[in-house]
Amino acid sequence: MERPTWAPEDVNVERPSVARVYDYYLGGSHNFAVDREFAEQVMQAMPDAPAAAQENRAFLRRAVRYLCGLGIRQFIDLGSGIPTVGNVHEVAQSTDPTAEVVYVDIDPVAYAHSRAILANNPHATVIRADLRQPAGVLADPKLREHIDFDQPVGLLLVAVLHFVPDSDRPADIVAGYSGAIAPGSHLVVSHMGAEGLDSSQDQALGLYKRSSTPIVPRTADELSSLFGDLTLVEPGVVRLSEWRPESPDEPAARENPALAAVARRD
Amino acid sequence: MPDVTSQVRARQESGSAGPDGEVATVPAAQPEPAVRAAPGPTPERLARAWARAIAGTSFVSMTPAELRSYLTGLAARLLSAATADTFEASVGFEVGVALVKAHFTQPASLDHTLRVLTEQLSDVGECTRAPALQSALAAGYAHALRERTLAEQEEIRAAAMLARSEAEAARWASEARFQAVFAGAVIGIAIADIEGKIVDVNQTTCDMLGYTVDEFRQLTVDEFIHPEDAPGIWDAYRALTRGEREHFRLEKPYYRKDGQIVWTDLAVSLIRDQDGQPRYVVTMVEDITERHHLQTRLRHQALHDPLTQLPNRTLFFERLGQILDDADDDARVGVCYLDVDGFKMINDTLGHDMGDYLLLAVARQLHSSISGPGQLVARTGGDEFVVLVERSAGPDQLVEIAEAALAAVRAPVQLGGHEITVSASVGVVERAAHTTSATELMKAADTTLHWAKRDGKNRWALFDADRHAREVTKFELSAGLPAALERGEFLVEYQPLVRLEDETVMGVEALVRWRHPKLGLLGPDRFIELSEETGLIVPLGQWVLGEACRQAAAWRQQYPDIDLVTSVNLAVRQVQDPSIVAEVSAILEQTGLDPGSLQLELTESAVMGTSGRPLETLHALARLGVKIAIDDFGTGYSNLAYLRSLPVHSLKLAGSFVAGLRPPDCPDPVDKEIVATLIKLAHTLHLTVTAEGVETREQAARLRTLGCDTAQGWHYAMPGPPEHVLALLESSVCQPSPAI
Ligand SMILES: C[S@@+](CC[C@H](N)C(=O)[O-])C[C@H]1O[C@@H](n2cnc3c(N)ncnc32)[C@H](O)[C@@H]1O
């Protein structure tokens, strides 16, 4: 019998969800009171939280465009979140309307909403799965309808790997994906950094730590080691805003310790 | 404002879109006809200031350039509204809506926008228009934001509903699947809580054990304990309910409600709650009664003898191994190993059917008289049976059982119209369980059975460690003989023969010794019999003969004046060997020894009753000139008349007669009489007489008085190396008078 990579459980709107909290940071209203309360708590500790989310989202957009520029026309967005403004399929399909995008998220609400949004988009879909099980994700028939594994793929792990503790062997998870994709594929990662945290950021991380989805910040070296035998593209592992800013008047780098990197499978 | 539209168009062409791909069409759909050239801000300038003000206030998915370009379109519309001939405040409303559409959803975005417009529009157009546009923009923004918020809330609510109902559907489906599995499974499934109360069972379980579901629910797991449950299963069960293990499998019998026994194969698993605490125990029950019976039958067949139905060798050893493994420190075990005497002959003469029938009768007798708790009677081979006494009370109990077994076997059997009686031999071994192994025990039993047979059958023998040890040593010695001969471990010692008349040394007897690497110097009594059994006596005797002759020749050469007879023993087998004559003559030739200096000692049995070839051999040897003596005379059956016709020169009296003359005061009168008679007889036949085992002066004196010719014994000298003899010879050369 086929086993889903997620267990049917209650959709709990009494507990904050990472996906909905994140939506709130981005100015969305796809969230409930619990989510907003949690977000406000974080923002009290770290008023920059929404700005950091925006920066992350801006990096996502730049990275997807960069990949489009390399000719990549199919994307797997792992931990895609609740669709908000500037979703991967919007960015990619603005370059090529037939670009294929598969969203993957474990959050039932993110999944349901993404499905509603994508109902009429023949080139994008969403599956509900745990990204910590690469084999299960990659074997998903819906995913395989959209992704041609003989062609390069843009694999996105944006603001999500830091939810995977070391005990879940993140490097093995990344290798599970990178081993399955064609040469020329790229992996896009953004990740909470562990260096240069100020006290407000520490405090915010503390809040997450007590939630059901703690954040594991990692240093640049730790992050690099997760890429295995992939080759980092310029400028390597850097702060979010330093990753290929699109124009000189891009908002100046804030004190955001989050890291970004893109790597290629040769 | 041609540059505005061209910018807008450029954005459309580049495919760069707003958040939902629609935004770009807002300014394009309502192109402004013309913009009056006026002092004050151009759309570009206004857009630049505006972008600066609101960048970063909200998250929009646009690059700074895209943002400027987007705002330039909106700025153009505002500027033209401010200066148009007819004022339409609704443009402000639309721009407010467009801001929200671009996802400027944070209140700060509106705030900053209004501030920029206040600055930038103050000098543009009629003074009332700017505030009107601003308030319309605020209204439009508020309206759109409210709409957007409500829409998103609705979306997320719908998504949550959808997700929830999907989760429920999935759960329902899995529950339904489980229900279907539970109800329709061909194996029984039973669920009990941690206290052992049965919570639910499926129909198959009910059919299997004969209870209804409701009856089951009145029962607890403990009520299914069965006397034949494998040891430890209930411990395993309790460990499971404590959460110490997740599952286990076992075979277990159950009583059905109607009392019948059902054998099952169980898989027992623990179900935990969300916090990991043990909650339920689920048991999958498969009815394996058929298989179990089959297995039992097959096992019975594998472990029993098909003819007698007694336990077979395998079962016997299984049981014995088990007993030895489980034995306490002071536990003892015993076996009686029984073999029917002469069974082969019965089989051969009466036929196999009768043989089998006899075995069956013996088996029945043994079974009925001996089998019982703690006493297993097994048939371990053709006519071999074993009684295993699991908890022996000591050798006496075993002997009692052995006697009972012998009596059981002796009971007359009706066989094809005849009543026949057979007997058996029994080897009995009894020991402390922890000192032995199954193999050792059975080896000992086999040895002991052999003793019983050798001792005459129809009896038991009890294992005797000393006897066994002796046999083992004997065996080892016997096995080591050939190699010892090869390695030159034998040597010859010489014991003087003394003429009683003048007490001078007239000869020596050559006696073989074995210098055993481990046991030291061994006398002939330890190995001659063995070498006779194995036949090694022939080469060994020949070696001794050669050695003694060489030595005799050497003495002769050294002391040509002394007449010394060298006496060498010849075994029966040597005499029977037809080449003996040739060999003796070859040795004499090789050593140059005068045949008259060699005396061959034969035992009475080798000489008496000889006929045919051995007799010829004896004559041939005598013809060589060699002297012949009869050793140990008086111990065997002696046909004195026959003695007369034999080519014999001398008799050696057995030590037992001579011993009778030893007591200092009064010698045994009978022995004395016999010795006297024998000496007389010998002299009548012109034979000389030698007395062996002379240990005291009185003995020597008495023998001399009786007329005995020669004596040999400790009184004169112990056997010793050739050098000792040399010393004696030397002294007799210097002092020809009696020296010893
Ligand atoms: C902070 S959001 C990031 C969304 C998006 N990638 C972005 O950067 O804008 C993290 C998302 O990852 C999802 N997520 C966390 N752990 C996950 C897992 N093990 N499998 C799939 N999705 C997961 C959460 O549900 C959430 O939607």
Side-chain angles (χ1 to χ4, degrees):
Chain A
M1 191 162 56
E2 189 189 310
R3 265 166 57 94
T5 59
W6 51 275
E9 59 181 37
D10 270 328
V11 175
N12 195 341
V13 294
E14 307 301 323
R15 268 205 234 160
S17 113
V18 173
R20 299 191 307 252
V21 168
Y22 184 71
D23 175 76
Y24 181 67
Y25 290 155
L26 292 176
S29 300
H30 300 103
N31 40 63
F32 299 114
V34 274
D35 307 314
R36 294 192 284 275
E37 258 161 47
F38 181 78
E40 290 295 339
Q41 269 179 20
V42 174
M43 283 159 66
Q44 251 174 28
M46 181 183 144
D48 275 354
Q54 291 182 23
E55 235 187 289
N56 177 61
R57 203 69 187 166
F59 160 71
L60 170 65
R61 185 193 61 220
R62 292 200 303 280
V64 172
R65 282 202 185 155
Y66 170 75
L67 265 47
C68 285
L70 297 177
I72 292 176
R73 289 295 179 272
Q74 38 180 8
F75 295 86
I76 304 176
D77 187 358
L78 299 158
S80 48
I82 290 176
T84 175
V85 60
N87 294 307
V88 174
H89 75 283
E90 291 160 357
V91 178
Q93 290 177 353
S94 72
T95 299
D96 179 347
T98 65
E100 300 286 345
V101 179
V102 176
Y103 292 108
V104 179
D105 207 292
I106 198 170
D107 184 295
V109 177
Y111 166 73
H113 186 40
S114 303
R115 214 172 40 170
I117 296 261
L118 299 174
N120 296 317
N121 192 325
H123 297 295
T125 191
V126 59
I127 63 171
R128 188 175 171 199
D130 187 339
L131 65 85
R132 288 169 298 186
Q133 298 173 20
V137 170
L138 295 174
D140 188 287
K142 230 158 99 190
L143 179 141
R144 300 199 83 94
E145 252 173 52
H146 288 268
I147 303 296
D148 175 357
F149 281 94
D150 294 332
Q151 298 297 320
V153 176
L155 205 62
L156 312 180
L157 279 163
V158 179
V160 66
L161 265 186
H162 49 226
F163 294 114
V164 178
D166 288 346
S167 56
D168 283 344
R169 304 176 148 276
D172 289 355
I173 295 174
V174 171
Y177 289 107
S178 57
I181 50 180
S185 295
H186 281 68
L187 174 63
V188 177
V189 171
S190 74
H191 197 291
M192 185 60 187
E195 286 147 313
L197 300 184
D198 62 29
S199 63
S200 68
Q201 287 155 344
D202 271 341
Q203 221 180 320
L205 284 178
L207 283 167
Y208 270 97
K209 211 154 257 162
R210 285 194 293 278
S211 78
S212 54
T213 46
I215 290 182
V216 187
R218 290 191 173 94
T219 64
D221 282 350
E222 289 169 339
L223 186 55
S224 307
S225 72
L226 298 186
F227 285 94
D229 53 6
L230 300 178
T231 311
L232 285 169
V233 304
E234 281 299 313
V237 179
V238 293
R239 296 222 164 169
L240 278 176
S241 56
E242 290 162 7
W243 198 88
R244 294 185 186 241
E246 270 175 345
S247 57
D249 49 356
E250 194 90 2
R254 274 168 294 228
E255 284 312 306
N256 182 355
L259 300 170
V262 175
R264 182 183 59 242
R265 168 144 153 64
D266 295 312
Chain B
M1 237 175 87
D3 48 339
V4 172
T5 37
S6 74
Q7 262 193 5
V8 167
R9 216 169 283 132
R11 277 188 56 218
Q12 283 180 300
E13 280 158 11
S14 78
S16 151
D20 53 10
E22 267 174 55
V23 174
T25 64
V26 174
Q30 296 169 314
E32 287 303 315
V35 175
R36 215 189 313 150
T42 60
E44 288 77 19
R45 221 181 308 142
L46 174 53
R48 205 170 302 132
W50 197 357
R52 247 195 325 272
I54 64 171
T57 53
S58 294
F59 173 64
V60 292
S61 180
M62 285 189 239
T63 64
E66 283 167 355
L67 175 60
R68 265 198 317 277
S69 149
Y70 183 67
L71 291 178
T72 303
L74 299 183
R77 290 177 61 193
L78 286 173
L79 286 174
S80 68
T83 56
D85 295 339
T86 44
F87 176 60
E88 286 194 53
S90 63
V91 171
F93 192 91
E94 286 156 12
V95 170
V97 170
L99 278 179
V100 171
K101 248 189 175 154
H103 205 261
F104 282 103
T105 52
Q106 297 296 327
S109 305
L110 176 62
D111 185 26
H112 293 196
T113 296
L114 293 178
R115 235 182 275 164
V116 164
L117 291 185
T118 309
E119 275 165 32
Q120 299 279 327
L121 292 185
S122 55
D123 300 334
V124 182
E126 289 170 29
C127 62
T128 54
R129 286 199 182 181
L133 280 173
Q134 287 181 43
S135 65
L137 185 148
Y141 182 90
H143 169 76
L145 187 59
R146 186 181 137 78
E147 289 294 304
R148 183 178 183 119
T149 304
L150 289 178
E152 288 189 349
Q153 283 281 301
E154 183 53 29
E155 279 166 13
I156 199 69
R157 209 184 51 77
M161 293 275 288
L162 183 63
R164 188 177 282 181
S165 65
E166 277 176 359
E168 240 150 53
R171 206 168 42 239
W172 183 86
S174 89
E175 231 158 63
R177 267 199 305 272
F178 172 73
Q179 271 306 328
V181 169
F182 186 73
V186 289
I187 63 171
I189 304 175
I191 304 169
D193 66 17
I194 287 307
E195 277 72 49
K197 228 178 102 53
I198 290 169
V199 178
D200 206 357
V201 293
N202 67 352
Q203 192 54 42
T204 309
T205 313
C206 296
D207 298 344
M208 209 181 293
L209 297 184
Y211 296 95
T212 67
V213 177
D214 288 334
E215 285 169 338
F216 263 118
R217 290 198 175 124
Q218 306 299 314
L219 295 171
T220 63
V221 170
D222 292 343
E223 284 163 276
F224 291 98
I225 293 176
H226 188 282
E228 277 186 68
D229 285 342
I233 71 162
W234 291 97
D235 290 341
Y237 182 83
R238 277 183 288 277
L240 185 102
T241 58
R242 283 196 301 269
E244 289 161 13
R245 58 189 299 176
E246 298 304 313
H247 35 72
F248 62 95
R249 282 192 74 149
L250 73 156
E251 286 190 6
K252 175 182 162 26
Y254 281 105
Y255 287 119
R256 274 177 61 90
K257 193 184 174 190
D258 59 18
Q260 275 188 314
I261 292 174
V262 182
W263 275 88
T264 62
D265 182 357
L266 300 185
V268 186
S269 316
L270 178 66
I271 306 288
R272 298 170 182 272
D273 64 15
Q274 279 171 329
D275 303 325
Q277 293 303 310
R279 249 333 251 294
Y280 295 110
V281 176
V282 174
T283 306
M284 309 272 186
V285 193
E286 191 189 351
D287 184 342
I288 55 157
T289 309
E290 291 278 305
R291 197 206 315 164
H292 180 82
H293 288 334
L294 183 65
Q295 272 172 357
T296 314
R297 211 161 41 242
L298 287 177
R299 190 177 143 78
H300 183 89
Q301 275 170 21
L303 297 178
H304 290 78
D305 164 38
L307 172 66
T308 63
Q309 288 308 312
L310 286 179
N312 64 8
R313 190 179 175 78
T314 312
L315 177 54
F316 167 77
F317 273 102
E318 205 173 84
R319 190 71 154 265
L320 176 58
Q322 211 176 341
I323 286 160
L324 294 178
D325 283 349
D326 299 348
D328 306 333
D329 277 354
D330 54 353
R332 303 186 66 81
V333 289
V335 292
C336 296
Y337 193 17
L338 179 148
D339 184 280
V340 178
D341 293 333
F343 178 72
K344 191 179 169 331
M345 207 189 67
I346 296 167
N347 229 2
D348 289 349
T349 49
L350 298 182
H352 287 281
D353 287 351
M354 287 298 141
D356 280 355
Y357 188 80
L358 175 70
L359 287 175
L360 191 56
V362 168
R364 283 199 185 126
Q365 291 287 356
L366 286 173
H367 179 70
S368 64
S369 59
I370 293 174
S371 281
Q375 285 180 201
L376 178 87
V377 176
R379 180 182 177 211
T380 51
D383 58 337
E384 293 167 6
F385 298 85
V386 191
V387 184
L388 171 61
V389 181
E390 299 183 1
R391 298 203 132 264
S392 156
D396 294 349
Q397 184 196 2
L398 266 289
V399 166
E400 234 168 70
I401 292 170
E403 269 168 358
L406 288 173
V409 175
R410 284 185 204 117
V413 178
Q414 290 298 329
L415 211 56
H418 308 280
E419 187 180 271
I420 80 158
T421 307
V422 288
S423 69
S425 303
V426 181
V428 180
V429 183
E430 197 276 347
R431 22 176 95 159
H434 71 273
T435 61
T436 192
S437 71
T439 347
E440 256 178 40
L441 195 69
M442 290 319 289
K443 242 173 91 181
D446 191 45
T447 305
T448 318
L449 171 60
H450 203 67
W451 294 348
K453 293 263 181 208
R454 224 167 44 190
D455 294 350
K457 304 184 178 171
N458 190 16
R459 72 190 60 218
W460 53 264
L462 179 62
F463 183 77
D464 168 358
D466 291 340
R467 175 170 176 184
H468 182 60
R470 277 198 306 277
E471 287 192 350
V472 168
T473 323
K474 220 174 102 178
F475 173 77
E476 280 169 3
L477 281 181
S478 149
L481 278 169
L485 184 59
E486 216 153 83
R487 280 199 295 264
E489 285 173 10
F490 291 97
L491 53 101
V492 180
E493 288 191 334
Y494 300 89
Q495 187 172 37
L497 302 174
V498 174
R499 192 171 15 239
L500 280 169
E501 195 177 63
D502 56 4
E503 298 203 312
T504 56
V505 178
M506 54 72 59
V508 290
E509 180 177 355
L511 294 163
V512 66
R513 303 274 184 265
W514 179 2
R515 191 179 299 288
H516 193 279
K518 273 193 224 126
L519 304 174
L521 200 61
L522 304 179
D525 52 319
R526 296 289 298 274
F527 60 89
I528 286 299
E529 202 185 310
L530 294 179
S531 62
E532 277 174 343
E533 278 168 20
T534 59
L536 193 82
I537 191 67
V538 176
L540 179 62
Q542 196 184 335
W543 177 83
V544 173
L545 182 66
E547 186 63 24
C549 290
R550 236 183 321 282
Q551 185 59 57
W555 284 325
R556 163 67 72 180
Q557 207 165 21
Q558 224 171 336
Y559 304 101
D561 299 335
I562 297 181
D563 250 341
L564 200 68
V565 173
T566 298
S567 190
V568 181
N569 292 281
L570 269 198
V572 182
R573 285 179 83 138
Q574 282 177 286
V575 182
Q576 287 167 345
D577 188 345
S579 59
I580 184 69
V581 182
E583 271 159 18
V584 171
S585 90
I587 286 173
L588 287 172
E589 202 157 303
Q590 271 166 29
T591 56
L593 185 69
D594 171 20
S597 299
L598 178 64
Q599 169 172 281
L600 296 176
E601 291 186 21
L602 286 80
T603 56
E604 227 176 326
S605 53
V607 180
M608 296 295 169
T610 41
S611 60
R613 199 190 291 139
L615 185 61
E616 270 167 38
T617 303
L618 214 54
H619 281 289
L621 286 172
R623 273 199 300 274
L624 284 179
V626 171
K627 294 196 174 99
I628 294 183
I630 294 179
D631 200 5
D632 264 344
F633 190 82
T635 54
Y637 157 79
S638 296
N639 183 336
L640 296 177
Y642 184 56
L643 194 58
R644 197 179 168 184
S645 61
L646 290 175
V648 170
H649 305 89
S650 174
L651 296 182
K652 291 185 88 173
L653 292 183
S656 51
F657 302 120
V658 183
L661 304 181
R662 196 184 305 148
D665 322 320
C666 56
D668 186 309
V670 179
D671 279 343
K672 193 180 160 194
E673 196 52 45
I674 292 176
V675 172
T677 312
L678 284 177
I679 291 172
K680 230 175 277 165
L681 170 78
H683 286 169
T684 312
L685 294 172
H686 305 292
L687 304 177
T688 59
V689 178
T690 303
E692 285 183 308
V694 178
E695 294 179 6
T696 64
R697 189 198 303 269
E698 290 86 352
Q699 258 179 317
R702 285 174 190 139
L703 285 164
R704 193 181 301 120
T705 314
L706 293 175
C708 183
D709 304 283
T710 323
Q712 174 184 0
W714 297 353
H715 172 59
Y716 293 107
M718 307 265 280
E723 303 80 63
H724 285 194
V725 178
L726 206 61
L728 292 176
L729 290 181
E730 221 127 67
S731 62
S732 66
V733 166
C734 304
Q735 311 169 277
S737 54
I740 309 165

